[in-house]
Amino acid sequence: MINEEKLVKALLAGVNNAHLDIKAAALIAIGDSGMIDEDRLVRALEDGAQNAHPTVKSAAYTGMG
């Protein structure tokens, strides 16, 4: 596995983490990284935008921008 694949895997794992601060950081990083294919990027950010927690929702919108 190359380094980029490792980073993508880690970011996607972060989005699914139970800790809201980790989930929020991963959503922002996904939007900024440009490494994740568009389908997974959009799915992760849309899921985050629908999260009830304001920190996660805010991070998803930040990642979209």
Side-chain angles (χ1 to χ4, degrees), residues 15-56:
V15 169
N16 294 312
N17 194 289
H19 297 281
L20 297 177
D21 54 340
I22 293 172
K23 184 184 294 272
L27 286 167
I28 293 170
I30 281 175
D32 289 345
S33 73
M35 293 187 298
I36 297 177
D37 65 77
E38 189 174 329
D39 290 336
R40 289 191 290 179
L41 167 73
V42 170
R43 189 172 34 249
L45 294 174
E46 284 180 335
D47 288 348
Q50 298 199 8
N51 191 290
H53 195 277
T55 301
V56 174

